[in-house]
Structure formats: C-alpha cells, structure tokens
Amino acid sequence: MKSFYFGGQKSGKTSCAIKKVLKIATSKPYYIATYDNSYDDKAMQQRVQNHIKERGDDFFTIEETKDLTKVIKSNETYLIDCMTMFILNNMNNGFDYIKRQLEEIFKIDCNIVFILNDINNGVIPMDKYSREFVDLSSLVGQILAKNCDEVIEVKYSLERRLK
C-alpha cells in the first residue's frame, strides 16, 4: 500500500498519516525524517521536537535527507515526513534525480505513506529558486498522486480521499 497525504502547512498531515501508518503496519514502522537539521533554525528545530514527541516510541526513526532508496527495504512500513524537505534538499540534483528515486521506491514491495506540503495554490514566486521549488514540488506531487494507491488531502486535520 502506497498512500499520499498532502495539505497546507500545519494542516494536520503528520498526525493523520501517523494514524494511517500505525493501522497498516504489521510490525514497528519506520519514520523517515527528511529535514536537514544542520541549519541554525530554532523554530524548525522546535517543529522537529514536536514531531518526535507526537510519534513517541511507535516508530523507528531514520534521518535521511537526500537518498531515500538506500533506506527503504521490502516488507516494511514507512512514513516519509516529508517530501517537501526532501525536494528542497535535492534542488541542486534536479527533477530527474528525484524522479529516478521515486521510480525505484515504487518498485519496492512495502507500505509507504508520503507527506507533501501543498504549496502550488498561490501566486507564482518572483525569484527563480522559489519558482523552481514550487514547480518541483508540483511535479513530485503529480508522480505521487499517479502512483499511490490512495491520495488524501488534509485540511484542519480533516481527511478527504481523492483516490
């Protein structure tokens, strides 16, 4: 089972996805944290701590910022939180690099719940880097929506199944 949860910032995606993963897992699942915690960003570090507290001891945690293919194995269950940070970490590697990883991941017989921030509903950004980021995020979202068994939009912790 491959599931795709998307929604705006602080929409409740992670808490909804955690429930899903714990429901489908047959053994202790893996939480893949994609945030590059090397920045001196206190607010983001607090968000990381909140996510750690929220998932408690229910998950094994793997920190992987750039290459998901080296940590995802068959017959396991994963929560990837989040693809947005994964995209940001791989901006210099380009879309083809990200697409190849996703193609390889979808070949693996395992359960995965992907989380992605929905950032493509606003004004087209003025600067080139931000436009590229929004474009990449939208393209990755399309790949996830096409290849996942289910697609769930989350708003205010309410889930709406689109597929």
Side-chain angles (χ1 to χ4, degrees):
M1 162 79 60
K2 307 280 192 301
S3 300
F4 171 34
Y5 280 68
F6 75 97
Q9 186 171 316
K10 296 304 223 178
S11 61
K13 298 178 301 294
T14 298
S15 57
C16 291
I18 285 172
K19 289 176 191 168
K20 175 69 174 188
V21 168
L22 294 175
K23 182 179 175 182
I24 64 173
T26 56
S27 60
K28 189 172 181 176
Y30 292 86
Y31 181 100
I32 301 176
T34 61
Y35 177 65
D36 181 351
N37 204 14
S38 65
Y39 305 103
D40 190 24
D41 184 337
K42 301 291 186 227
M44 283 300 290
Q45 289 171 0
Q46 183 58 53
R47 285 176 183 238
V48 168
Q49 291 305 311
N50 292 344
H51 279 299
I52 290 170
K53 183 178 178 183
E54 182 177 23
R55 67 182 179 265
D57 293 328
D58 292 331
F59 289 81
F60 296 113
T61 299
I62 300 170
E63 293 183 15
E64 181 51 54
T65 61
K66 293 198 176 189
D67 188 355
L68 298 174
T69 61
K70 66 183 191 181
V71 296
I72 296 176
K73 310 293 180 214
S74 295
N75 303 314
E76 299 291 350
T77 301
Y78 299 91
L79 172 58
I80 302 175
D81 195 5
C82 73
M83 293 301 292
T84 309
M85 287 294 134
F86 172 76
I87 294 164
L88 182 62
N89 298 335
N90 284 295
M91 286 286 292
N92 293 332
N93 294 323
F95 175 66
D96 288 338
Y97 175 82
I98 295 168
K99 184 180 175 188
R100 278 193 303 275
Q101 279 198 52
L102 290 173
E103 289 169 351
E104 289 305 310
I105 289 168
F106 278 108
K107 292 176 186 174
I108 301 170
D109 183 21
C110 64
N111 295 319
I112 303 177
V113 174
F114 298 90
I115 295 176
L116 178 73
N117 287 331
D118 187 7
I119 61 170
N120 66 353
N121 287 323
V123 176
I124 297 172
M126 299 260 315
D127 68 281
K128 181 182 179 199
Y129 191 80
S130 296
R131 277 194 310 274
E132 289 175 3
F133 177 67
V134 171
D135 288 350
L136 272 176
S137 179
S138 297
L139 292 170
V140 167
Q142 289 181 48
I143 291 169
L144 293 173
K146 179 182 177 184
N147 291 287
C148 284
D149 301 299
E150 63 180 2
V151 178
I152 309 293
E153 181 180 25
V154 181
K155 289 186 178 187
Y156 307 109
S157 294
L158 299 172
E159 299 177 34
R160 181 170 61 172
R161 184 183 170 117
L162 302 179
K163 176 181 172 185

